[in-house]
Amino acid sequence: MDERARHTLGTVAGLAALVPLCTLTEAAARALRTGNAAFAPALDGLGYLAAVAVLVTLLTAWPAAALACGVPLAATGTLFALDLDAAMGLAGTLPGAETGEPPGTLAGVTGLYALLGVLLVLSPLKRALPRPGRSARGSAR
């Protein structure tokens, strides 16, 4: 497979992973909030977060997928951090929006989208940076 096809396929995979990643992140945030309100352990929230961690780990193995998924998440997290009213208005227009709490609100307000997005965007840099003890061309000294 040529390089261009790999990048295209990675981009499609990253965009396809965006919906389940957002759904799992939102479910985790809601479960953790419910556990916190009940002063009880939120084991289902931890399970959702574990699933998010697995998905993020899989995406970081493919730089094009990590960027395609990470950039929208980081942008969403930034929007929630900088302009909560605009973010809430946008979330309220999404399919499945509820009057009390639009989708993505908890994950956005708590910073989960920003954290995941930044991790995914920065993950390709890890591969690009030279490792200690190796020259820039990757051969051992």
Side-chain angles (χ1 to χ4, degrees):
M1 182 182 309
D2 69 335
E3 192 70 19
R4 188 175 194 179
R6 284 179 7 98
H7 286 303
T8 302
L9 192 57
T11 301
V12 170
L15 291 174
L18 194 58
V19 172
L21 189 64
C22 288
T23 303
L24 288 169
T25 304
E26 181 66 16
R30 285 182 189 217
L32 291 172
R33 181 188 65 184
T34 301
N36 189 30
F39 297 105
L43 297 179
D44 52 343
L46 294 177
Y48 289 129
L49 285 177
V52 167
V54 168
L55 190 53
V56 167
T57 301
L58 291 172
L59 288 169
T60 59
W62 200 349
L67 287 173
C69 188
V71 169
L73 281 175
T76 301
T78 302
L79 181 63
F80 270 102
L82 297 178
D83 193 350
L84 184 59
D85 292 333
M88 294 291 288
L90 182 63
T93 64
L94 295 173
E98 301 170 11
T99 55
E101 184 178 286
T105 301
L106 280 172
V109 170
T110 59
L112 287 173
Y113 285 157
L115 176 67
L116 294 173
V118 168
L119 286 173
L120 285 169
V121 168
L122 293 179
S123 68
L125 292 178
K126 179 180 72 171
R127 293 174 185 244
L129 296 175
R131 294 183 182 164
R134 295 189 181 253
S135 68
R137 292 174 26 224
S139 61
R141 289 186 180 180

